[in-house]
Amino acid sequence: MKKTEEFTGALQAAEKLIEKDPKRFVFLAEQPRFANNNLGWIKLGKKFGVSGDFSLHRFAGWKYRPAADECHAMFESGEHFWNPGYFITSIDYLLESYQRLAPEIYQAVLSKKYSQAPKLHFDEAIIEKLDLSRAAVIKINMGWSDPGTLYALKEALQKNCDENVAHGQVAAYNTSDSLLYNLESNKILAVVGLNGVVVINTPDALLVVPKSEVVHITKLIKKMEASGLEKFL
């Protein structure tokens, strides 16, 4: 998060909305920098007001990890924004929502029997069941990125999108927008003609994946585990 003042300002704007109506959710929608299909996306609805420097919009839907083609279309539309996963609401309304929509979790928490609570993501347990017609979305641009993926690491270290981010002995020709990490000092990592590719070389494994497919690394890990290849993870 490069612009923390943008984040705190948006929280203050959201607080004002919640003070007026405690029974609503406010979402933050981050300005997207590229078609990242490893994230959730929020669609902005009609603008209904402003709060300080922030525009307020209706909630018009969202999509988690869209397919690559759909993700590019959403990015180009200008109507969809990254979902950084911040929800603002009142504590009372949140507890009321759990009691009504996820009573098993609510009871487990009250009795402090946490291990007995169903293992449900917050989105699945609460957000997907709420009437979001009264929800609000605050459009922000705080320089946010998700550090949970390799390409997000590249984006955090780069100076511009076309630049390669390299580490170790690396030789690159006609290559752009790539993360090139070589952790073997006695070997050179040489690449030609790549665009938007992650290449990670370690002493016991070599990973090569296009940035649009980084989302599927977890599936590869599960397949390796099932095949008895845990020692390479």
Side-chain angles (χ1 to χ4, degrees):
M1 190 184 297
K2 295 181 179 179
K3 304 174 186 177
T4 55
E5 70 282 358
E6 181 92 354
F7 177 60
T8 55
L11 291 182
Q12 290 168 354
E15 181 182 28
K16 293 178 181 178
L17 289 174
I18 297 302
E19 287 174 345
K20 293 179 179 178
D21 184 359
K23 293 189 175 184
R24 77 187 309 174
F25 268 78
V26 180
F27 299 88
L28 302 187
E30 169 73 357
Q31 180 71 42
R33 295 182 295 279
F34 64 98
N36 189 339
N37 66 337
N38 191 52
L39 300 176
W41 290 69
I42 292 179
K43 184 177 182 181
L44 267 61
K46 184 178 180 180
K47 181 178 177 179
F48 70 87
V50 296
S51 180
D53 297 330
F54 301 94
S55 60
L56 309 176
H57 296 257
R58 300 297 180 192
F59 180 90
W62 59 10
K63 181 79 173 183
Y64 182 62
R65 287 183 174 178
D69 290 347
E70 182 182 7
C71 188
H72 280 282
M74 292 165 64
F75 176 66
E76 295 295 334
S77 73
E79 298 177 346
H80 296 80
F81 287 68
W82 286 349
N83 177 16
Y86 297 109
F87 314 104
I88 302 93
T89 189
S90 67
I91 294 176
D92 288 342
Y93 184 52
L94 184 62
L95 290 174
E96 175 192 315
S97 298
Y98 266 102
Q99 185 176 18
R100 179 166 49 90
L101 303 174
E104 300 89 349
I105 297 178
Y106 180 79
Q107 291 299 328
V109 171
L110 283 185
S111 59
K112 297 184 179 181
K113 297 179 180 179
Y114 306 114
S115 63
Q116 297 180 13
K119 294 179 175 60
L120 291 178
H121 190 281
F122 177 67
D123 290 0
E124 183 180 359
I126 303 298
I127 296 296
E128 293 177 0
K129 299 176 183 177
L130 283 173
D131 176 10
L132 295 176
S133 61
R134 292 168 57 248
V137 181
I138 296 179
K139 185 170 67 172
I140 57 174
N141 185 7
M142 58 184 176
W144 177 89
S145 63
D146 176 15
T149 68
L150 288 170
Y151 188 75
L153 171 63
K154 187 261 178 188
E155 189 193 29
L157 297 175
Q158 71 188 13
K159 294 180 180 179
N160 59 69
C161 293
D162 292 330
E163 176 184 66
N164 297 319
V165 173
H167 173 82
Q169 294 291 322
V170 173
Y173 177 76
N174 194 25
T175 293
S176 61
D177 189 21
S178 295
L179 177 66
L180 309 169
Y181 259 48
N182 184 9
L183 301 181
E184 287 192 280
S185 60
N186 62 340
K187 180 190 291 185
I188 190 166
L189 174 62
V191 298
V192 178
L194 300 184
N195 178 263
V197 177
V198 172
V199 183
I200 308 294
N201 179 57
T202 72
D204 63 349
L206 172 65
L207 173 69
V208 181
V209 54
K211 69 178 184 180
S212 61
E213 296 293 318
V214 167
V215 63
H216 298 306
I217 290 179
T218 53
K219 295 180 181 178
L220 173 63
I221 291 174
K222 290 180 180 178
K223 184 175 181 179
M224 292 175 66
E225 290 174 338
S227 301
L229 300 173
E230 296 93 338
K231 67 179 182 179
F232 297 110
L233 299 176

